[in-house]
């Protein structure tokens, strides 16, 4: 079974016909280390689920300084926000992303194009429910990150990393 489909099933049930329909529209891609997967200013048109490898998202401020936004990977230490190579806001609004995504090492992904995602959700109540649950988890992740950045200093955030890795509340709230 496709790793992305397996991941999705943590959020809800899809019947055999829905699973077949989904697997027919998913695209498998490989990116070599150093490859720019999405350039800042481009629109994020796919949900890319990381199967293997590592990537980084970053932005460049007006002075030219580069800031890492996130590291993206799929391994034992992954949380919800690490699995996806995606600027969710750009994806939802189909507006340009301020982020650049680059493969740190050879990276394999399963991609779900926006037009296929929207059609899939429109055709299946199970898919719509699953999408809603995943959107809730994405919101919780962003909210937690924003709250932490606004309320904790860098040392306190660093000291929380082991606790954050031990528990993934997004998946516990199924």
């Amino acid at each position: 079974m496709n790793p992305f489909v397996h991941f999705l099933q943590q959020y809800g049930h899809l019947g055999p016909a829905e699973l077949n329909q989904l697997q027919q529209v998913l695209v498998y891609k490989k990116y070599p280390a150093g490859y720019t997967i999405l350039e800042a200013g481009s629109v994020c048109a796919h949900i890319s689920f990381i199967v293997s490898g590592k990537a980084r998202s970053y932005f460049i401020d007006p002075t030219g300084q580069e800031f890492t936004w996130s590291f993206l990977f799929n391994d034992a230490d992954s949380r919800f926000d690490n699995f996806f190579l995606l600027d969710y806001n750009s994806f939802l609004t189909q507006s340009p992303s301020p982020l650049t995504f680059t493969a740190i090492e050879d990276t394999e992904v399963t991609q779900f194009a926006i037009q296929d995602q929207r059609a899939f959700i429109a055709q299946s109540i199970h898919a719509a429910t699953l999408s809603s649950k995943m959107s809730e988890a994405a919101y919780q992740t962003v909210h937690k990150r924003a709250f932490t950045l606004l309320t904790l200093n860098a040392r306190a955030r660093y000291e929380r990393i082991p606790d954050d890795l031990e528990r993934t509340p997004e998946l516990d709230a199924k």
Side-chain angles (χ1 to χ4, degrees):
M1 176 181 294
N2 182 296
F4 178 56
V5 174
H6 181 73
F7 177 84
L8 290 177
Q9 290 188 305
Q10 297 174 78
Y11 289 90
H13 173 75
L14 294 174
E18 294 163 319
L19 288 171
N20 185 46
Q21 178 188 5
L22 176 60
Q23 292 196 59
Q24 288 184 20
V25 298
L26 296 176
V27 175
Y28 181 80
K29 292 229 176 165
K30 290 183 177 183
Y31 299 107
Y35 185 85
T36 298
I37 300 164
L38 180 73
E39 184 76 43
S42 299
V43 174
C44 185
H46 301 89
I47 294 172
S48 295
F49 179 81
I50 296 177
V51 175
S52 67
K54 291 180 175 59
R56 176 177 82 108
S57 60
Y58 63 91
F59 67 95
I60 300 174
D61 76 3
T63 68
Q65 188 171 356
E66 190 175 287
F67 292 91
T68 295
W69 181 257
S70 187
F71 290 102
L72 311 156
F73 52 91
N74 184 351
D75 64 25
D77 293 328
S78 294
R79 299 179 314 242
F80 184 85
D81 54 330
N82 297 124
F83 287 115
F84 295 95
L85 201 150
L86 167 75
D87 178 337
Y88 197 48
N89 186 63
S90 174
F91 181 79
L92 290 175
T93 63
Q94 287 298 279
S95 61
S97 174
L99 300 172
T100 296
F101 292 80
T102 304
I104 295 172
E105 60 187 39
D106 291 350
T107 302
E108 300 175 15
V109 301
T110 296
Q111 289 188 330
F112 195 14
I114 189 163
Q115 67 273 12
D116 294 327
Q117 185 249 7
R118 289 180 176 168
F120 186 58
I121 289 169
Q123 295 173 6
S124 165
I125 188 69
H126 294 118
T129 300
L130 188 142
S131 178
S132 176
K133 287 180 180 180
M134 289 187 67
S135 290
E136 289 171 12
Y139 170 79
Q140 291 170 3
T141 297
V142 170
H143 182 272
K144 179 180 174 183
R145 181 175 183 177
F147 190 80
T148 300
L149 287 171
L150 291 170
T151 61
L152 299 177
N153 63 33
R155 181 171 185 79
R157 290 193 310 266
Y158 177 78
E159 289 171 351
R160 282 184 56 166
I161 290 172
D163 294 334
D164 289 344
L165 292 176
E166 286 179 19
R167 186 166 177 276
T168 305
E170 297 87 0
L171 296 180
D172 294 342
K174 288 190 258 181

